[in-house]
Amino acid sequence: MQYVSTRGAAPVLTFEEAMLTGLARDGGLYVPAEIPAMKAEDIAALAGLSYEEVAFRVMRPFVGDAFTDTEFGDLIARAYAGFGHAARAPLVQLQPNHFLLELFHGPTLAFKDFAMQLIGQLFEAALTRRGERVTIVGATSGDTGSAAMEAFRGLDAVEVFILYPHGRVSDVQRRQMTTVSEKNVHALALTGDFDDCQARLKDMFNDFAFRDGVRLAGVNSINWARVLAQVVYYFTAAVSLGAPHRAVSFCVPTGNFGDIFAGYIAKRMGLPIEKLIVATNQNDILHRTLSSGDYAPTGVVPSISPSMDIQVSSNFERALFDAYGRDGRAVGQLMAELKAGGFHVSQGALERLREDFASGRASEAETSAMIARAKAEFGELLCPHSAVGVHVAQDHLGATPLVTLATAHPAKFPDAVEDATGIRPALPPRMADLFDRPERITRVENDLARIEQLIRDEVMA
Ligand SMILES: *Cc1c(COP(=O)(O)O)cnc(C)c1O
């Protein structure tokens, strides 16, 4: 299996190389040269299998010869052993033909654990075999950071730095990053918003002297392996609702377009998905783009669903690549226009996007109202991100079963949940002492040279 860049001007890589590299050297994102198809009978055969077994069968063709079957199976088993639910991604019914896919039973209580726990295992196995060390730098809107630290803490082969927007993550999210005691992980509080964090991260990847000097690797959803791990739960959910014999739709709370893009890959592999519904909060650039064709960032307005407070949505580039017939030059052109303020999606590309994607948005008031309603009517305590999804899903209920992704545990966002319902959700027992642990934070300005210096000093120390 070979991987190509969405901008068409970077070396073609293997799975392992693309995983260890992160961003392509032409600024693009790696995608498989071809999407392997899964036959209907092979999809039907997934029914009744464990999550780990489905994960193996769905991901195996993408991985090529990076790992043997036995190795890959063992790494998957280790990745999901620490989850707090036997099904890993259980499905519960909310309304007639409307289901909630609970993706928050991993160690840091958000869906990011599904990919990050696996990536931690894959990185360690690959780096140990190669005898190499890497420096992982990540940007987080709140949940990727803790998931990465949890997955990589204490490993010899990696030094981890996470940039998060100072003052714009919940207290639980911050403490999950700042109270990790292992010395190979570092939380950097940047003065700015998530888009600033992600922009500095991309700058570091485009500074080849720095990139090569510290052996920079990325675990944001720009990393293909992240997206791949998330394809799996689309299969487990759809199959348990009758796929491949029955089509299913998904409603996905979206920021960086990574999670929903994984659903698109599942569809391209042959899973019968009718619609993939993009659900945004008030930072609704993806909803506006799918409605009008204009991709025009307006600046982030902080919301009660902070993990989706994003206006420059990295993985949308992967969707554009396909919508433009895999024309890397056309995508490169759009991204150059984005640097200058925004771009317009061509009519043909927009029509192609709309074949797979629908969209909606939830205001702050609508999000709060849905948290309250879900508790009162469905008996479910939703995190604000999941509530954005359930709100948008209301416009799409019908004959096709609809699955809304519950992306985080309500206890990660206790203030928003308490404001809406009067109930303050408790952290699971294993995290009950989170607020007693000492914090370790480094403040950084939104200044590339200083961030790079800090990382170099730490890595060379
Ligand atoms: C990351 C995150 C999202 C958005 O996921 P994307 O892949 O960036 O679209 C939604 N909800 C929660 C809780 C998250 O942590």
Side-chain angles (χ1 to χ4, degrees):
M1 174 69 63
Q2 294 196 311
Y3 288 83
V4 298
S5 164
T6 49
R7 299 192 194 172
V12 172
L13 300 182
T14 65
F15 173 81
E16 182 169 309
E17 290 164 342
M19 174 181 85
L20 293 175
T21 299
L23 199 67
R25 288 181 95 86
D26 59 3
L29 280 70
Y30 276 104
V31 289
E34 277 161 49
I35 308 290
M38 212 158 156
K39 294 203 281 291
E41 66 210 60
D42 293 335
I43 296 173
L46 301 176
L49 298 182
S50 69
Y51 187 88
E52 285 79 353
E53 185 62 32
V54 175
F56 180 87
R57 294 193 190 186
V58 168
M59 292 190 286
R60 189 73 192 99
F62 290 92
V63 173
D65 54 11
F67 302 96
T68 66
D69 282 358
T70 314
E71 249 183 321
F72 192 49
D74 288 348
L75 295 172
I76 291 171
R78 255 180 265 150
Y80 299 114
F83 276 52
H85 197 293
R88 311 310 184 211
L91 207 52
V92 300
Q93 185 157 15
L94 285 186
Q95 293 170 284
N97 247 357
H98 186 199
F99 302 83
L100 195 68
L101 183 61
E102 294 185 352
L103 300 175
F104 51 69
H105 295 285
T108 68
L109 309 181
F111 81 87
K112 306 291 199 297
D113 288 323
F114 276 89
M116 213 61 87
Q117 284 294 313
L118 182 67
I119 284 215
Q121 297 293 335
L122 299 179
F123 261 70
E124 193 182 34
L127 291 171
T128 306
R129 182 180 347 105
R130 292 166 165 239
E132 290 175 11
R133 293 193 91 240
V134 293
T135 302
I136 290 174
V137 183
T140 187
S141 55
D143 296 319
T144 294
S146 56
M149 288 177 162
E150 179 64 31
F152 290 100
R153 69 191 166 94
L155 299 187
D156 288 334
V158 286
E159 197 81 18
V160 180
F161 299 84
I162 299 295
L163 293 165
Y164 72 90
H166 178 66
R168 298 199 187 208
V169 300
S170 80
D171 290 347
V172 174
Q173 289 179 314
R174 188 191 71 247
R175 285 186 158 272
Q176 282 184 322
M177 294 187 276
T178 58
T179 62
V180 180
S181 58
E182 282 83 354
K183 292 289 181 280
N184 72 320
V185 300
H186 311 268
L188 309 182
L190 181 134
T191 308
D193 59 26
F194 171 74
D195 287 338
D196 295 319
C197 295
Q198 184 158 254
R200 295 300 77 72
L201 176 64
K202 285 199 168 179
D203 290 345
M204 285 181 237
F205 272 101
N206 290 323
D207 175 349
F208 292 147
F210 175 78
R211 176 177 182 161
D212 297 335
V214 301
R215 284 277 345 239
L216 189 63
V219 294
N220 275 88
S221 53
I222 53 176
N223 192 312
W224 167 257
R226 277 272 307 275
V227 175
L228 176 59
Q230 293 168 194
V231 174
V232 175
Y233 46 71
Y234 286 90
F235 275 87
T236 59
V239 167
S240 67
L241 292 172
H245 315 295
R246 190 160 74 140
V248 180
S249 288
F250 287 90
C251 182
V252 186
T254 308
N256 229 345
F257 211 80
D259 207 6
I260 194 160
F261 189 75
Y264 167 81
I265 294 297
K267 181 173 182 178
R268 290 277 314 276
M269 289 176 73
L271 192 66
I273 296 177
E274 195 171 282
K275 269 285 179 310
L276 290 157
I277 302 153
V278 170
T280 73
N281 67 20
Q282 61 191 7
N283 295 296
D284 60 354
I285 186 162
L286 290 166
H287 174 52
R288 284 186 283 117
T289 302
L290 286 165
S291 305
S292 70
D294 279 321
Y295 191 99
T298 51
V300 169
V301 181
S303 78
I304 56 171
S305 46
S307 306
M308 309 196 310
D309 288 346
I310 295 173
Q311 287 284 286
V312 181
S313 187
S314 280
N315 279 286
F316 194 54
E317 179 168 343
R318 288 188 163 115
L320 288 170
F321 183 59
D322 275 8
Y324 277 83
R326 303 212 130 199
D327 179 348
R329 284 181 54 149
V331 173
Q333 176 71 37
L334 295 179
M335 294 303 134
E337 287 172 33
L338 177 58
K339 280 218 155 156
F343 59 82
H344 187 77
V345 182
S346 74
Q347 192 56 32
L350 191 59
E351 278 164 21
R352 249 168 262 141
L353 286 167
R354 286 177 181 158
E355 285 169 17
D356 296 310
F357 300 103
S359 66
R361 59 107 73 183
S363 68
E364 293 290 273
E366 287 165 335
T367 307
S368 263
M370 183 46 83
I371 297 175
R373 180 179 162 203
K375 179 69 188 114
E377 262 183 57
F378 319 143
E380 285 290 329
L381 214 46
L382 298 176
C383 93
H385 310 77
S386 312
V388 166
V390 173
H391 172 85
V392 170
Q394 299 306 307
D395 289 335
H396 298 269
L397 299 179
T400 306
L402 178 61
V403 177
T404 297
L405 273 50
T407 50
H409 193 288
K412 279 196 111 160
F413 307 93
D415 295 338
V417 175
E418 187 174 16
D419 284 348
T421 63
I423 298 166
R424 195 165 181 86
L427 285 167
R430 66 176 185 279
M431 271 179 222
D433 68 340
L434 188 64
F435 281 80
D436 303 325
R437 298 179 200 159
E439 289 192 85
R440 190 159 56 90
I441 309 178
T442 306
R443 287 289 307 274
V444 294
E445 293 308 310
N446 184 12
D447 176 342
L448 180 67
R450 282 160 74 178
I451 300 170
E452 289 184 343
Q453 194 53 49
L454 186 150
I455 292 174
R456 256 196 228 101
D457 289 348
E458 196 69 49
V459 170
M460 305 308 168

